[in-house]
Amino acid sequence: MKQKYYITTPIYYPSGNWHLGHCYTTVICDAIARFKRMDGFDVFFLTGTDEHGVKIEKRAAENNTTPKAFVDNLVDSIKDLWKVLGISFDKFIRTTDDYHVAAVQKIFKQLYDQGDIYKAEYEGMYCTPCESFWTESQLVDGKCPDCGRPVEKAKEESYFFRLSKYQDKLIELYKNNPEFISPKSRMNEMINNFIKPGLQDLCVSRTSFKWGIPVTFDDKHVIYVWIDALTNYITALGYGSNDDSLFKKYWPADIHMVGKEIVRFHTIIWPAILMALGVEMPKQVYGHGWLLIGGDKMSKSKGNVVDPFVLSDRYGVDAVRYFLLREVPFGSDGVYTNEALIARTNADLANDLGNLVSRTTAMITQYFGGVVPNNKAAEDIDKDLISLCESALGKVRADVEKLLIPESLGEIFRLIQRANKYIDETMPWVLAKDPEKKDRLGTVLYNLAETIRISAVLLAPFMPATAQNIFDRLQLGKLPNDFASVKKFGGLKSGGGVTKGDALFPRLDMKKELAELEKLAAEQQKSSADVKKSNANKNEAAAPTGKESGEKEEITIDDFAKVQLATAKVVACEKVEKSDKLLKLTLDVGGESRTVVSGIAEHYTADYMVGKTVVIVKNLKPVKLRGILSEGMILCASNGKDVVFVSPEKEIESGSGVN
Ligand code: MSP
């Protein structure tokens, strides 16, 4: 019987502004799921959408529609995205699905009946604009940690989950299962930052909005995020329904893949809920890093060419998949730039892979009329290539097992590069000149075609469309659904045909592509700017002008409160081309990536700025400087001669409010 493998992505908030960062978790899970399927596992790959909450309720009202109709639309758009990217999920769960709603209500009632959920009068600090309660320890300088605005004491009747009860059990779980939180650094973060300071019971219901799953025994309340969202991983398998056969088969999850900002929910709250339910723990929660958008934009309002639809359409879906899987060391953050995508595509896909396929098929066409020649005795020079082919699967498997995803692709590309070198070493065009070397020429070209076949099968989980395309050129029909055919060199049949075809990945002209992407960005930006134009005009007309002397007018505390200041970490920095004064900084502002152009190049080098914490004006209207959209301003002190940037006196998380 096949061994089961259950892999999940987080369920996505249906925002609609899908960017490349959103695709990261899902493309990685897809590659792993496809690999495991081909490697003989019985895989269940789950993804879906997280659809309840006050934000959706408000956005639906703004759009004069119901929350359900509003999310239906957005869910269709994410399904389209997964279709474009070739995501092979086995199930797509929506938290509005009937079976999920019923199971969540059942779980909530069970936890209440057994005393793990209790009702209390919640007195806490309330942020009215965010409609959120915060504990004292969550406040930043006494203000709302989300929006930085003042909070006030308020009371609300709520249900609470006894998270505090599970503190010791969680520590025990981590100790007994060192792989439970991966990478390891994230485990220390959880213990030191959250468990050691003490876990507080968790508010799990709300009465201030309606768009949620109702508590069956108290209809004033809807169930708030945790119990609704996290339980999707088991309700999707039928837990809490009449048919829990999938749950029995696939649970526990082998891996919950999540972005680093939601590791806490998955490694503290989720296991505690499962402990309360008496359900087995998942085997591993992997917190990957973020793809920071170091180029221009990350959302529609900022002119979004880091739009996966645009990039897939322009460069092919596999160029996008390859970039996501290969570029960022898995577990760490990485920066997206248009340059990096184009450079990767050119170097690895057009040069290494594309050239190998086109040179080989062209030579088989030219020298053997498009028929795969016979494979005669191997010479020493062939043996290295053959042994690399036969050991490749083992190496790729070992890397995938350790979630070394870029490295696993690295192994396959080592094989591809070796084959290109083999062409240079064997020089088929020289062999072709000597009729006595016809057999040797045939063997060399056979070895190359066979290496390409093996590479295609190994690439199938990562770049399925390209792998199939290569198979078509070798006239081999459908890709196999297992790895059996790559264990031994020689599976390719002599006498079969090859097709020459266009370049797999045409070489991209860096300059032209960058200009094209910039143009697309500008068009998108213009359309969103047009929508906002009238409002902006009104604001500008009303803006205070200041005194002629340069002395600024007095302002009230309310005026000052309009300026939203926040700390930000410099993730990347470079000089703006053809400018002595400007640096382009990529900032992490509490998980959001921003680009800010700052006139500090005469005072700081780009290298010096990387890793520094700065303070930015977060709600400054974005402007284009030298063609780069600058989304905020860095605060600096100046005496007219020296300029120094302002930085908090101690380390504090990026995105912290400054008041
Ligand atoms: N709904 C919650 C998850 C609940 S799971 C029980 C959520 N949704 S999300 O839409 O905000 O994020 C979905 C996934 O996308 C997360 O894993 C998140 O880390 C990932 N990404 C969103 N932007 C990202 C980048 N820029 N880079 C990499 N992944 C990021 O959180």
Side-chain angles (χ1 to χ4, degrees):
M1 209 176 79
K2 283 181 170 184
Q3 200 182 328
K4 69 93 190 168
Y5 187 80
Y6 181 29
I7 180 166
T8 67
T9 73
I11 45 174
Y12 283 70
Y13 294 126
S15 75
N17 281 338
W18 309 116
H19 57 73
L20 206 56
H22 284 127
C23 307
Y24 189 67
T25 322
T26 308
V27 166
I28 280 163
C29 286
D30 181 66
I32 298 170
R34 284 174 183 266
F35 186 90
K36 289 282 183 183
R37 279 187 203 114
M38 286 183 74
D39 211 19
F41 286 76
D42 174 0
V43 172
F44 196 88
F45 170 21
L46 176 72
T47 191
T49 38
D50 186 357
E51 303 180 14
H52 292 119
V54 67
K55 281 189 186 152
I56 291 287
E57 191 175 87
K58 276 187 179 164
R59 285 179 62 200
E62 281 160 20
N63 284 278
N64 290 323
T65 182
T66 63
K68 182 65 170 61
F70 185 69
V71 288
D72 280 351
N73 212 352
L74 297 174
V75 169
D76 283 348
S77 72
I78 198 169
K79 283 188 173 166
D80 285 348
L81 177 60
W82 296 157
K83 200 164 166 200
V84 167
L85 289 172
I87 305 302
S88 62
F89 56 81
D90 294 292
K91 183 169 178 120
F92 189 101
I93 184 172
R94 300 182 54 177
T95 52
T96 49
D97 286 338
D98 289 347
Y99 68 87
H100 176 75
V101 170
V104 168
Q105 288 179 322
K106 210 164 150 187
I107 289 169
F108 198 92
K109 176 81 165 59
Q110 182 194 328
L111 294 177
Y112 178 71
D113 289 344
Q114 71 190 38
D116 270 297
I117 284 181
Y118 61 92
K119 185 152 122 175
E121 179 95 311
Y122 182 61
E123 191 168 343
M125 307 312 291
Y126 190 70
C127 173
T128 312
C130 294
E131 292 190 37
S132 294
F133 269 102
W134 301 104
T135 59
E136 292 280 357
S137 66
Q138 286 172 314
L139 299 179
V140 176
D141 293 336
K143 304 270 166 61
C144 170
D146 260 5
C147 72
R149 281 177 278 210
V151 289
E152 55 194 35
K153 267 213 164 117
K155 273 187 192 167
E156 186 182 318
E157 182 188 274
S158 279
Y159 286 91
F160 286 84
F161 173 65
R162 284 188 204 283
L163 186 61
S164 55
K165 179 173 144 188
Y166 293 95
Q167 171 134 349
D168 296 339
K169 290 197 179 112
L170 287 168
I171 294 187
E172 208 174 305
L173 167 72
Y174 306 158
K175 257 202 205 132
N176 297 338
N177 303 277
E179 308 266 278
F180 179 72
I181 309 180
S182 292
K184 234 197 176 83
S185 56
R186 307 223 191 270
M187 160 137 71
N188 303 333
E189 200 182 312
M190 290 305 120
I191 296 178
N192 296 333
N193 297 359
F194 300 108
I195 307 243
K196 279 198 181 148
L199 292 176
Q200 304 202 4
D201 289 351
L202 199 72
C203 180
V204 288
S205 80
R206 286 283 193 271
T207 52
S208 55
F209 63 91
K210 283 269 154 254
W211 181 236
I213 300 177
V215 174
T216 45
F217 50 90
D218 193 347
D219 60 10
K220 265 199 335 232
H221 290 257
V222 293
I223 297 167
Y224 181 65
V225 297
W226 317 115
I227 292 184
D228 174 6
L230 290 161
T231 52
N232 90 88
Y233 300 129
I234 53 176
T235 65
L237 300 178
Y239 178 90
S241 78
N242 292 335
D243 178 4
D244 64 355
S245 50
L246 286 178
F247 176 74
K248 289 200 175 105
K249 185 171 176 193
Y250 289 108
W251 189 259
D254 291 85
I255 185 160
H256 289 313
M257 188 69 77
V258 301
K260 62 180 184 181
E261 81 283 14
I262 50 174
V263 167
R264 177 159 72 102
F265 312 131
H266 285 80
T267 57
I268 296 178
I269 299 171
W270 180 222
I273 293 173
L274 290 169
M275 283 171 188
L277 292 172
V279 169
E280 207 179 326
M281 290 301 118
K283 291 190 191 153
Q284 186 173 63
V285 174
Y286 191 98
H288 65 69
W290 287 331
L291 188 67
L292 303 169
I293 310 299
D296 284 358
K297 338 293 59 101
M298 194 167 176
S299 76
K300 224 176 175 180
S301 58
K302 294 173 200 160
N304 191 356
V305 281
V306 192
D307 175 337
F309 288 108
V310 171
L311 293 182
S312 302
D313 190 43
R314 199 168 175 80
Y315 303 118
V317 57
D318 279 350
V320 176
R321 282 179 67 110
Y322 182 74
F323 179 87
L324 290 173
L325 294 165
R326 183 77 199 264
E327 185 76 10
V328 180
F330 199 49
S332 317
D333 288 347
V335 176
Y336 172 86
T337 61
N338 290 333
E339 287 92 328
L341 174 75
I342 295 165
R344 261 285 167 209
T345 307
N346 275 345
D348 298 4
L349 303 183
N351 281 4
D352 290 349
L353 177 61
N355 268 347
L356 176 64
V357 173
S358 62
R359 286 162 94 189
T360 305
T361 51
M363 288 191 287
I364 293 178
T365 305
Q366 187 182 348
Y367 305 134
F368 290 91
V371 176
V372 177
N374 285 326
N375 179 21
K376 298 274 169 67
E379 293 186 4
D380 272 355
I381 197 168
D382 308 340
K383 288 185 185 151
D384 186 33
L385 181 68
I386 294 173
S387 98
L388 208 59
C389 281
E390 291 185 338
S391 61
L393 172 63
K395 291 181 195 156
V396 176
R397 179 189 289 128
D399 284 339
V400 172
E401 224 130 81
K402 285 184 260 162
L403 297 173
L404 297 171
I405 306 300
E407 289 78 355
S408 62
L409 273 168
E411 291 299 344
I412 306 173
F413 275 78
R414 230 181 309 288
L415 184 59
I416 291 163
Q417 281 155 5
R418 182 68 192 84
N420 274 320
K421 190 166 158 229
Y422 177 83
I423 299 183
D424 301 338
E425 287 166 349
T426 53
M427 296 190 284
W429 52 93
V430 176
L431 295 174
K433 287 190 184 130
D434 183 349
E436 288 197 0
K437 299 266 170 70
K438 185 87 179 175
D439 278 356
R440 178 65 193 145
L441 174 65
T443 301
V444 164
L445 293 181
Y446 176 89
N447 286 343
L448 286 167
E450 171 64 343
T451 304
I452 290 173
R453 182 191 69 83
I454 290 176
S455 307
V457 175
L458 293 173
L459 278 176
F462 307 94
M463 305 168 71
T466 303
Q468 183 59 59
N469 191 340
I470 296 174
F471 252 54
D472 292 345
R473 286 160 198 245
L474 295 176
Q475 298 180 12
L476 291 174
K478 247 178 93 99
L479 278 167
N481 43 25
D482 61 33
F483 288 126
S485 64
V486 299
K487 290 180 181 155
K488 196 109 200 72
F489 192 88
L492 179 67
K493 287 206 171 59
S494 301
V498 300
T499 313
K500 243 169 68 178
D502 308 332
L504 276 181
F505 291 91
R507 236 195 112 70
L508 303 169
D509 179 330
M510 175 72 83
K511 233 173 141 182
K512 191 173 138 235
E513 289 307 318
L514 290 179
E516 242 351 274
L517 290 175
E518 178 91 359
K519 204 171 102 196
L520 277 168
E523 278 163 15
Q524 286 196 329
Q525 211 184 312
K526 186 174 176 306
S527 63
S528 64
D530 284 348
V531 176
K532 290 183 179 168
K533 208 169 178 178
S534 58
N535 284 346
N537 283 345
K538 267 183 237 153
N539 291 344
E540 269 166 22
T545 52
K547 288 182 186 163
E548 291 291 328
S549 65
E551 269 286 331
K552 305 239 165 88
E553 278 179 3
E554 271 183 356
I555 57 167
T556 65
I557 185 82
D558 287 337
D559 290 328
F560 180 66
K562 287 182 194 155
V563 181
Q564 195 185 355
L565 302 174
T567 59
K569 189 122 185 145
V570 182
V571 184
C573 183
E574 60 188 81
K575 270 201 84 172
V576 171
E577 264 182 24
K578 295 185 199 133
S579 164
D580 294 329
K581 295 204 169 120
L582 298 177
L583 286 184
K584 175 176 146 192
L585 301 102
T586 305
L587 304 176
D588 174 11
V589 190
E592 186 197 339
S593 174
R594 290 209 182 194
T595 301
V596 168
V597 177
S598 177
I600 53 174
E602 288 171 319
H603 307 276
Y604 294 105
T605 63
D607 280 350
Y608 180 84
M609 291 307 293
V610 176
K612 297 284 182 295
T613 297
V614 295
V615 175
I616 63 161
V617 182
K618 200 176 162 191
N619 58 342
L620 196 68
K621 197 171 148 193
V623 288
K624 262 204 162 183
L625 296 168
R626 301 274 171 142
I628 303 166
L629 191 73
S630 181
E631 309 157 302
M633 185 180 95
I634 290 174
L635 292 195
C636 289
S638 173
N639 54 9
K641 186 161 54 83
D642 299 321
V643 172
V644 291
F645 67 85
V646 175
S647 187
E649 180 259 337
K650 270 201 213 108
E651 250 329 284
I652 187 161
E653 299 91 297
S654 76
S656 300
V658 178
N659 301 99

